[in-house]
PDB file of all heavy atoms in Angstrom:
ATOM      1  N   CYS A 185      23.060 -45.240 -11.363  1.00 87.00           N
ATOM      2  CA  CYS A 185      23.259 -44.767  -9.984  1.00 87.00           C
ATOM      3  C   CYS A 185      23.427 -43.251  -9.952  1.00 87.00           C
ATOM      4  O   CYS A 185      22.828 -42.553  -9.121  1.00 87.00           O
ATOM      5  CB  CYS A 185      24.491 -45.440  -9.376  1.00 87.00           C
ATOM      6  SG  CYS A 185      24.255 -47.179  -9.002  1.00 87.00           S
ATOM      7  N   CYS A 186      24.244 -42.735 -10.849  1.00 86.00           N
ATOM      8  CA  CYS A 186      24.491 -41.290 -10.884  1.00 86.00           C
ATOM      9  C   CYS A 186      23.204 -40.521 -11.156  1.00 86.00           C
ATOM     10  O   CYS A 186      22.902 -39.529 -10.483  1.00 86.00           O
ATOM     11  CB  CYS A 186      25.545 -40.976 -11.939  1.00 86.00           C
ATOM     12  SG  CYS A 186      25.958 -39.227 -12.057  1.00 86.00           S
ATOM     13  N   ASN A 187      22.415 -41.000 -12.135  1.00 84.00           N
ATOM     14  CA  ASN A 187      21.183 -40.294 -12.505  1.00 84.00           C
ATOM     15  C   ASN A 187      20.157 -40.307 -11.376  1.00 84.00           C
ATOM     16  O   ASN A 187      19.578 -39.270 -11.027  1.00 84.00           O
ATOM     17  CB  ASN A 187      20.580 -40.924 -13.754  1.00 84.00           C
ATOM     18  CG  ASN A 187      21.422 -40.707 -14.985  1.00 84.00           C
ATOM     19  OD1 ASN A 187      22.238 -39.777 -15.024  1.00 84.00           O
ATOM     20  ND2 ASN A 187      21.267 -41.540 -15.994  1.00 84.00           N
ATOM     21  N   LEU A 189      20.564 -40.984  -8.076  1.00 83.00           N
ATOM     22  CA  LEU A 189      21.012 -40.320  -6.847  1.00 83.00           C
ATOM     23  C   LEU A 189      20.991 -38.803  -7.001  1.00 83.00           C
ATOM     24  O   LEU A 189      20.668 -38.078  -6.060  1.00 83.00           O
ATOM     25  CB  LEU A 189      22.418 -40.802  -6.475  1.00 83.00           C
ATOM     26  CG  LEU A 189      22.516 -42.252  -5.997  1.00 83.00           C
ATOM     27  CD1 LEU A 189      23.959 -42.642  -5.766  1.00 83.00           C
ATOM     28  CD2 LEU A 189      21.706 -42.462  -4.723  1.00 83.00           C
ATOM     29  N   THR A 190      21.352 -38.327  -8.194  1.00 79.00           N
ATOM     30  CA  THR A 190      21.292 -36.876  -8.452  1.00 79.00           C
ATOM     31  C   THR A 190      19.851 -36.392  -8.405  1.00 79.00           C
ATOM     32  O   THR A 190      19.546 -35.341  -7.842  1.00 79.00           O
ATOM     33  CB  THR A 190      21.905 -36.553  -9.823  1.00 79.00           C
ATOM     34  OG1 THR A 190      23.246 -37.024  -9.852  1.00 79.00           O
ATOM     35  CG2 THR A 190      21.876 -35.060 -10.083  1.00 79.00           C
ATOM     36  N   ALA A 192      17.434 -37.638  -6.704  1.00 75.00           N
ATOM     37  CA  ALA A 192      16.943 -37.664  -5.320  1.00 75.00           C
ATOM     38  C   ALA A 192      17.762 -36.784  -4.394  1.00 75.00           C
ATOM     39  O   ALA A 192      17.461 -36.685  -3.202  1.00 75.00           O
ATOM     40  CB  ALA A 192      16.964 -39.100  -4.802  1.00 75.00           C
ATOM     41  N   GLY A 193      18.811 -36.113  -4.932  1.00 67.00           N
ATOM     42  CA  GLY A 193      19.657 -35.260  -4.102  1.00 67.00           C
ATOM     43  C   GLY A 193      20.513 -36.032  -3.130  1.00 67.00           C
ATOM     44  O   GLY A 193      20.909 -35.516  -2.091  1.00 67.00           O
ATOM     45  N   GLU A 194      20.834 -37.308  -3.466  1.00 66.00           N
ATOM     46  CA  GLU A 194      21.599 -38.168  -2.573  1.00 66.00           C
ATOM     47  C   GLU A 194      23.005 -38.462  -3.086  1.00 66.00           C
ATOM     48  O   GLU A 194      23.712 -39.286  -2.512  1.00 66.00           O
ATOM     49  CB  GLU A 194      20.859 -39.503  -2.384  1.00 66.00           C
ATOM     50  CG  GLU A 194      19.525 -39.378  -1.683  1.00 66.00           C
ATOM     51  CD  GLU A 194      19.682 -39.002  -0.216  1.00 66.00           C
ATOM     52  OE1 GLU A 194      20.783 -39.222   0.332  1.00 66.00           O
ATOM     53  OE2 GLU A 194      18.730 -38.468   0.350  1.00 66.00           O
ATOM     54  N   LEU A 195      23.393 -37.810  -4.194  1.00 65.00           N
ATOM     55  CA  LEU A 195      24.727 -38.032  -4.722  1.00 65.00           C
ATOM     56  C   LEU A 195      25.759 -37.514  -3.729  1.00 65.00           C
ATOM     57  O   LEU A 195      25.584 -36.454  -3.126  1.00 65.00           O
ATOM     58  CB  LEU A 195      24.885 -37.328  -6.072  1.00 65.00           C
ATOM     59  CG  LEU A 195      26.066 -37.771  -6.933  1.00 65.00           C
ATOM     60  CD1 LEU A 195      25.910 -39.234  -7.332  1.00 65.00           C
ATOM     61  CD2 LEU A 195      26.174 -36.906  -8.175  1.00 65.00           C
ATOM     62  N   SER A 196      26.857 -38.244  -3.568  1.00 57.00           N
ATOM     63  CA  SER A 196      27.837 -37.896  -2.533  1.00 57.00           C
ATOM     64  C   SER A 196      28.388 -36.498  -2.725  1.00 57.00           C
ATOM     65  O   SER A 196      28.655 -35.777  -1.769  1.00 57.00           O
ATOM     66  CB  SER A 196      28.982 -38.910  -2.541  1.00 57.00           C
ATOM     67  OG  SER A 196      29.596 -38.953  -3.827  1.00 57.00           O
ATOM     68  N   SER A 197      28.545 -36.080  -3.990  1.00 52.00           N
ATOM     69  CA  SER A 197      29.082 -34.739  -4.247  1.00 52.00           C
ATOM     70  C   SER A 197      28.088 -33.651  -3.909  1.00 52.00           C
ATOM     71  O   SER A 197      28.451 -32.501  -3.738  1.00 52.00           O
ATOM     72  CB  SER A 197      29.493 -34.608  -5.723  1.00 52.00           C
ATOM     73  OG  SER A 197      28.373 -34.831  -6.555  1.00 52.00           O
ATOM     74  N   THR A 198      26.795 -34.027  -3.813  1.00 48.00           N
ATOM     75  CA  THR A 198      25.773 -33.030  -3.470  1.00 48.00           C
ATOM     76  C   THR A 198      25.348 -33.121  -2.016  1.00 48.00           C
ATOM     77  O   THR A 198      24.526 -32.340  -1.568  1.00 48.00           O
ATOM     78  CB  THR A 198      24.527 -33.205  -4.352  1.00 48.00           C
ATOM     79  OG1 THR A 198      23.961 -34.486  -4.094  1.00 48.00           O
ATOM     80  CG2 THR A 198      24.879 -33.083  -5.810  1.00 48.00           C
ATOM     81  N   ARG A 199      25.866 -34.103  -1.264  1.00 47.00           N
ATOM     82  CA  ARG A 199      25.515 -34.250   0.136  1.00 47.00           C
ATOM     83  C   ARG A 199      26.693 -33.807   1.000  1.00 47.00           C
ATOM     84  O   ARG A 199      27.705 -34.500   1.094  1.00 47.00           O
ATOM     85  CB  ARG A 199      25.188 -35.718   0.480  1.00 47.00           C
ATOM     86  CG  ARG A 199      24.005 -36.285  -0.220  1.00 47.00           C
ATOM     87  CD  ARG A 199      23.543 -37.575   0.471  1.00 47.00           C
ATOM     88  NE  ARG A 199      24.628 -38.465   0.765  1.00 47.00           N
ATOM     89  CZ  ARG A 199      25.089 -39.395  -0.055  1.00 47.00           C
ATOM     90  NH1 ARG A 199      24.559 -39.519  -1.245  1.00 47.00           N
ATOM     91  NH2 ARG A 199      26.068 -40.183   0.305  1.00 47.00           N
ATOM     92  N   PRO A 200      26.611 -32.624   1.607  1.00 48.00           N
ATOM     93  CA  PRO A 200      27.720 -32.193   2.453  1.00 48.00           C
ATOM     94  C   PRO A 200      27.788 -33.036   3.725  1.00 48.00           C
ATOM     95  O   PRO A 200      26.774 -33.396   4.310  1.00 48.00           O
ATOM     96  CB  PRO A 200      27.351 -30.742   2.776  1.00 48.00           C
ATOM     97  CG  PRO A 200      25.882 -30.676   2.642  1.00 48.00           C
ATOM     98  CD  PRO A 200      25.507 -31.668   1.576  1.00 48.00           C
TER      99      PRO A 200
END
Side-chain angles (χ1 to χ4, degrees):
C185 288
C186 181
N187 292 339
L189 290 175
T190 302
E194 295 291 339
L195 196 64
S196 58
S197 60
T198 63
R199 297 196 314 271

